[in-house]
């Protein structure tokens, strides 16, 4: 898949082809979207395990997952910084509340609001690791009791696994993205317990539960 400039303008330009590009990459079983459908299903199942759970979607894109959850009866607030992605989400997920802002601005924009589940599917890899960890730590304060943060993304158990994938994909590897490395995330976020659901050779779902 061609690397793209992933600022708001880049996502605006990608919006029309986004779903088709992801589907083609997944069908080929290639990085970065191998296992995409299963990953989204796992996030859906985690949220939908309890009736009426409120959810915050960080980086909703075209709103496909937000739509499924809203249709299943969950109050969903969906955040994205691309106006064209949000326009598509408004069509796909009319039952969701949509907010135009960047990932790091979300905690301040949402002020004191709390959610049962905060999830991010293929969005946090646009933040360098330090900023990603700071955001996750801040989002802890936006969880209801027994709430969780769910991360579904390109992910590796350790740095060696990431480097092996980088070497395998050569020029196709996107050096402008910052993928999850599980042992580093666990070390950086001691206030969370982390459970992992492996999805593919380059993707996991991680469940972050506030530690006692």
């Amino acid at each position: 898949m061609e690397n793209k400039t992933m600022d708001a303008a880049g996502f605006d330009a990608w919006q029309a082809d986004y779903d088709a590009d992801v589907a083609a990459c997944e069908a080929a079983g290639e990085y970065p979207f191998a296992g995409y459908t299963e990953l989204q299903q796992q996030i859906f199942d985690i949220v939908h395990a309890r009736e009426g759970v409120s959810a915050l979607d960080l980086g909703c894109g075209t709103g496909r997952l937000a739509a499924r959850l809203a249709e299943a009866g969950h109050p969903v607030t969906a955040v994205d910084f691309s106006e064209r992605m949000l326009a598509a989400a408004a069509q796909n997920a009319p039952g969701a509340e949509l907010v135009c802002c960047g990932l790091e601005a979300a905690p301040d924009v949402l002020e004191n609001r709390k959610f049962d589940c905060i999830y991010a599917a293929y969005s946090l890899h646009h933040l360098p690791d330090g900023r990603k960890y700071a955001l996750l730590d801040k989002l802890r304060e936006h969880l209801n009791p027994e709430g969780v943060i769910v991360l579904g993304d390109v992910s590796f158990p350790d740095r060696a696994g990431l480097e092996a994938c980088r070497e395998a994909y050569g020029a196709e590897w996107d050096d402008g993205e910052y993928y999850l490395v599980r042992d580093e995330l666990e070390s950086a976020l001691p206030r969370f317990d982390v459970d992992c659901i492996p999805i593919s050779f380059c993707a996991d779902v991680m469940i972050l539960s506030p530690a006692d």
Side-chain angles (χ1 to χ4, degrees):
M1 177 178 289
E2 177 187 356
N3 293 339
K4 301 177 184 294
T5 301
M6 292 292 91
D7 54 12
F11 273 104
D12 283 346
W14 195 14
Q15 180 271 315
D17 297 322
Y18 179 83
D19 289 330
D21 285 353
V22 170
C25 183
E26 179 184 21
E30 298 288 355
Y31 152 89
F33 291 116
Y36 181 89
T37 300
E38 182 183 351
L39 183 149
Q40 296 242 327
Q41 183 63 46
Q42 286 286 350
I43 296 176
F44 177 88
D45 290 344
I46 291 166
V47 178
H48 194 49
R50 289 188 291 139
E51 185 176 350
V53 164
S54 61
L56 171 62
D57 184 330
L58 288 174
C60 67
T62 58
R64 301 290 184 181
L65 184 51
R68 291 185 62 198
L69 288 166
E71 289 168 3
H74 298 280
V76 179
T77 300
V79 168
D80 206 287
F81 66 174
S82 164
E83 292 183 0
R84 291 190 65 179
M85 287 288 189
L86 284 176
Q91 294 293 318
N92 294 327
E97 175 190 359
L98 303 179
V99 178
C100 187
C101 72
L103 298 175
E104 292 171 289
D108 293 329
V109 170
L110 297 169
E111 298 182 319
N112 296 321
R113 294 180 58 183
K114 294 181 182 288
F115 303 88
D116 298 309
C117 181
I118 299 172
Y119 67 86
Y122 291 96
S123 58
L124 288 190
H125 61 243
H126 298 295
L127 297 180
D129 289 344
R131 290 163 55 189
K132 185 177 15 251
Y133 301 149
L135 173 60
L136 291 168
D137 209 39
K138 196 171 185 180
L139 287 169
R140 190 178 188 273
E141 308 309 317
H142 289 266
L143 289 173
N144 285 325
E146 301 185 9
V148 295
I149 298 174
V150 181
L151 309 179
D153 214 321
V154 178
S155 173
F156 303 93
D158 51 33
R159 185 61 55 175
L162 182 150
E163 293 299 337
C165 190
R166 183 203 299 269
E167 182 175 352
Y169 277 87
E172 297 178 53
W173 183 267
D174 193 335
D175 284 317
E177 296 183 343
Y178 309 90
Y179 300 128
L180 295 170
V181 176
R182 189 164 67 248
D183 61 357
E184 295 175 10
L185 181 144
E186 291 173 340
S187 177
L189 296 173
R191 296 207 297 163
F192 288 100
D193 294 324
V194 180
D195 293 316
C196 181
I197 303 171
I199 300 296
S200 74
F201 72 94
C202 64
D204 297 306
V205 170
M206 294 190 211
I207 305 169
L208 280 60
S209 306
D212 295 334

